[in-house]
Amino acid sequence: MATSEVIIVGGGPAGCALAYRLASCRKAPSVTLIEAGGDNADVSLRVTADRYETFITQPALNWGYMTVPQEHAKGKQLDYSRGRGLGGSSAINFSVFTRGPRDDYDEWARLVDDDTWSWENVKRRFKRIEAYESVKDKKIRRYIQPEPGAHGRDGPVKVGFPDIFEKGIVDVIDAAEEAGLPINKDLNSGNPIGMGVPPSTSSMGQRVTAASSYLVDAPKNLTIVTNTTVTRILFDGKKAVGVESSGKRFFASKDVILSAGAIDSPKILLLSGVGPDQELRTHGIAVLEDLPGVGKNLHDHNVVPLVVVQKPGTNDRPSLFDDAEAVAAAREQWLKDYTGPLASFYSAMTMGFFKSDAVLRSEEFEALPKSTQDFLRRETVPHFELGSGLPRLGLEADDTQKGETTATFEAFWMNPQSVGELKLQSSNPKDLLLMDPRALSHPFDRRVAIETMRSCMDLLETPLLAKNTLRYAAAPKSKREDDIYDYIQNNIFSSWHMCSTIKMGKPDEAGTCVDKNFRVVGLLNLRIVDMSIAPLIPNAHTQSTAYLIGETAAEKLINEYSLE
């Protein structure tokens, strides 16, 4: 097999961004991007209205992972979907694009001792990623006013808002205002606090993926290999020289880079003998580098949905989705010119990030380390998120009937203190990892989850929303703490924001696996470039962070190798 200068394993947001930027340099280094899944080139996989259900309806695009039974969620296994094929999870996620708070990035910079990650510096790279599209619906402009000059216009990833907003979407913003909650007209300004409308990676009725953004016009020196699952890194001593997949070998003269995500990058390291010594020996794997943090420090955001039945006509979704013939006609129209109902339904949602006085007053907050308390008190750091506009997903049960008009609200808790881990079951690459996020294991997370759900129920009791609500279809029995927590345990869902399993950190700091230049500690020519390196879980929907990680690594490598 021919040797490339750089091999990148994994075609998700970070991998695609990194591959394209390196290959596009003036010196045109040879880059090979290896992806386990297919090319995902079929445009019918990118219907905007399908964005919340693609992970279910297109199993070929989803690894279909599940966690181990969760002790604090009544033994429930959480869906741990991960995208398969070019685009990675950007092909199956919910397409939300939120940057996160400036305080997160300033803290990231402090944790890794690298100002590259400070808010002022990451803003520039976010602008390079984005092609922000303006709000076309004049009636909606009073809700959305992106800060002038703060967003990119010419980047590869199209980010924006739908041409037409569905009936009822902005009612939630009006209700939040009625309840005295802050309103935020630019959730991506660096301060996400308040209710607003998040942009999505969607344009002209189509989902935008990392592959459609970065790989459509890939330079000739970028070789893309699909349907090839990398199972092991090849080493010469402690120097990474290539990767292996089902007997096939690919070699790199400069760097081997794992961008397989927060689940699969650790797996490849572990199978290659890089990880906790005793765990590797248990499975008969020769230890190349004892790196205790690999597979540890798993963080994720969790979410719980709540569903109400509304008065007929509050929104128009039943008129389309309860009529099979109407859906078929709409799909035919979309396939013809990417317009029609499937380009507008489910194209917008509302989202708000908030602080909670109840959380700050709680015993669980007071029990946190002072440094954590100080971080949670920072101006732009939210304690929870509320969303609406999604279909009914992740519910243990609800009693809605066909033809009823419903609305789903989502309660997310931020800054989780529960820490999980990933472990091998065996040395066989075909065996799935044991994935244990230990959801709700920390008392602080339980407190925030309860207060978040209570805040969601309070929002639904505002006059503007209450007047159209007939009943709860899926909700806690009451606002009593035990009823709320019982409901949370039954209906908890992962947001698929897994991260931090090969953590970037300062040299000699416990748990550090990767240095500030993405290099794996103790090894040569091996880097990790994906969400697994995040030293904290961003208070955001993390596809934006994954793109940022890819772009940041590209800048560092371009400078290191003088590629421009």
Side-chain angles (χ1 to χ4, degrees):
M1 178 63 68
T3 298
S4 301
E5 290 175 74
V6 177
I7 287 174
I8 299 169
V9 178
C16 286
L18 176 61
Y20 175 78
R21 294 300 189 193
L22 291 181
S24 300
C25 288
R26 180 177 58 82
K27 291 190 178 178
S30 55
V31 178
T32 298
L33 176 64
I34 304 174
E35 167 55 44
D39 61 17
N40 292 353
D42 183 354
V43 72
S44 69
L45 299 173
R46 306 211 312 267
V47 180
T48 293
D50 294 342
R51 68 170 170 160
Y52 298 118
E53 297 183 339
T54 301
F55 80 101
I56 298 171
T57 61
Q58 302 295 335
L61 274 60
N62 189 351
W63 285 103
Y65 296 150
M66 299 290 288
T67 69
V68 301
Q70 294 299 286
E71 177 184 353
H72 297 277
K74 300 184 178 181
K76 182 177 180 177
Q77 289 182 270
L78 305 184
D79 182 300
Y80 245 35
S81 289
R82 295 284 78 202
R84 182 175 186 171
L86 291 178
S89 292
S90 69
I92 65 166
N93 65 13
F94 291 176
S95 300
V96 177
F97 192 92
T98 54
R99 291 175 171 180
R102 63 173 180 264
D103 283 311
D104 278 6
Y105 293 103
D106 289 340
E107 179 67 2
W108 186 324
R110 187 191 69 81
L111 289 170
V112 303
D113 194 21
D114 185 358
D115 199 48
T116 300
W117 296 100
S118 70
W119 172 247
E120 288 305 315
N121 285 321
V122 302
K123 268 199 307 186
R124 174 182 56 79
R125 291 193 295 283
F126 271 129
K127 289 175 69 173
R128 194 177 186 210
I129 293 165
E130 301 162 345
Y132 244 72
E133 297 180 344
S134 60
V135 180
K136 298 178 178 66
D137 189 335
K138 292 181 180 179
K139 293 179 295 184
I140 299 301
R141 287 180 187 167
R142 74 183 187 93
Y143 299 100
I144 306 169
Q145 294 177 17
E147 196 173 300
H151 305 286
R153 298 292 177 185
D154 304 312
V157 182
K158 292 180 179 177
V159 177
F161 306 91
D163 291 347
I164 301 172
F165 275 66
E166 289 179 74
K167 185 178 181 180
I169 289 291
V170 296
D171 289 352
V172 178
I173 303 177
D174 292 336
E177 190 169 30
E178 185 177 62
L181 295 172
I183 304 303
N184 193 330
K185 297 181 180 182
D186 185 2
L187 291 169
N188 283 336
S189 67
N191 185 351
I193 303 299
M195 184 68 79
V197 178
S200 64
T201 46
S202 180
S203 178
M204 305 294 288
Q206 298 178 53
R207 173 194 289 270
V208 172
T209 73
S212 69
S213 299
Y214 286 95
L215 302 183
V216 172
D217 296 313
K220 292 181 180 179
N221 53 309
L222 173 55
T223 301
I224 300 172
V225 181
T226 55
N227 299 305
T228 301
T229 303
V230 168
T231 56
R232 188 164 68 95
I233 303 162
L234 303 173
F235 288 94
D236 179 4
K238 296 255 179 145
K239 178 181 177 181
V241 295
V243 297
E244 185 174 73
S245 171
S246 302
K248 292 186 293 184
R249 293 186 167 194
F250 303 82
F251 293 94
S253 62
K254 287 184 177 174
D255 277 293
V256 172
I257 300 173
L258 298 186
S259 295
I263 304 297
D264 286 300
S265 284
K267 182 179 182 181
I268 295 169
L269 283 184
L270 294 168
L271 290 170
S272 303
V274 181
D277 182 291
Q278 191 53 51
E279 289 183 24
L280 298 177
R281 294 185 189 280
T282 298
H283 299 297
I285 298 172
V287 180
L288 177 70
E289 182 68 21
D290 178 16
L291 203 54
V294 174
K296 309 308 178 186
N297 200 49
L298 172 63
H299 283 73
D300 190 17
H301 289 138
N302 292 115
V303 57
V304 174
L306 185 154
V307 179
V308 295
V309 175
Q310 298 178 310
K311 293 177 181 178
T314 304
N315 70 61
D316 295 327
R317 289 175 179 175
S319 65
L320 175 66
F321 294 103
D322 287 344
D323 184 338
E325 290 185 5
V327 171
R331 196 164 297 278
E332 185 176 341
Q333 181 179 349
W334 189 93
L335 290 170
K336 179 182 177 182
D337 57 14
Y338 312 134
T339 66
L342 295 188
S344 57
F345 278 98
Y346 290 116
S347 62
M349 66 179 297
T350 55
M351 178 179 292
F353 296 87
F354 303 98
K355 289 182 173 291
S356 169
D357 289 339
V359 166
L360 295 177
R361 291 192 302 265
S362 69
E363 294 178 0
E364 293 86 352
F365 176 81
E366 290 297 330
L368 295 174
K370 185 176 184 304
S371 59
T372 304
Q373 292 183 33
D374 290 345
F375 177 73
L376 291 170
R377 287 193 177 103
R378 291 182 191 174
E379 179 186 4
T380 68
V381 175
H383 303 149
F384 68 92
E385 172 193 339
L386 300 179
S388 69
L390 285 71
R392 301 190 306 277
L393 293 170
L395 289 161
E396 188 71 18
D398 70 67
D399 65 354
T400 55
Q401 305 296 316
K402 183 177 179 179
E404 286 186 321
T405 299
T406 64
T408 301
F409 292 77
E410 305 282 344
F412 303 75
W413 48 102
M414 301 283 103
N415 301 288
Q417 302 300 301
S418 300
V419 180
E421 67 176 355
L422 310 171
K423 297 179 76 171
L424 291 173
Q425 295 193 69
S426 76
S427 60
N428 185 344
K430 293 183 179 179
D431 287 342
L432 298 179
L433 290 174
L434 295 172
M435 295 166 255
D436 187 3
R438 299 190 181 118
L440 294 169
S441 61
H442 196 286
F444 178 75
D445 294 354
R446 298 196 287 271
R447 169 55 50 206
V448 181
I450 289 166
E451 299 303 339
T452 301
M453 181 55 70
R454 194 172 271 145
S455 295
C456 188
M457 297 173 77
D458 287 345
L459 179 63
L460 281 162
E461 290 173 3
T462 56
L464 185 59
L465 295 180
K467 71 179 182 180
N468 290 319
T469 299
L470 298 178
R471 60 185 173 87
Y472 283 114
K477 293 177 182 177
S478 75
K479 284 188 179 180
R480 283 177 39 185
E481 196 158 298
D482 56 343
D483 285 337
I484 291 175
Y485 189 56
D486 181 69
Y487 181 80
I488 289 168
Q489 289 180 296
N490 286 327
N491 294 284
I492 186 173
F493 197 78
S494 167
S495 296
W496 308 329
H497 296 169
M498 313 84 163
C499 66
S500 307
T501 49
I502 315 174
K503 188 180 69 149
M504 179 182 283
K506 296 174 184 176
D508 303 321
E509 189 172 66
T512 293
C513 299
V514 175
D515 70 16
K516 64 184 181 181
N517 292 313
F518 300 89
R519 294 178 295 215
V520 177
V521 173
L523 300 172
L524 301 173
N525 292 28
L526 179 62
R527 306 191 200 228
I528 312 297
V529 180
D530 58 33
M531 284 300 301
S532 64
I533 64 97
L536 51 74
I537 181 167
N539 288 289
H541 291 253
T542 54
Q543 72 160 329
S544 61
T545 318
Y547 281 119
L548 176 70
I549 288 169
E551 292 276 355
T552 303
E555 280 193 8
K556 284 181 175 277
L557 267 70
I558 289 166
N559 290 332
E560 182 177 328
Y561 290 119
S562 302
L563 295 177
E564 286 290 10

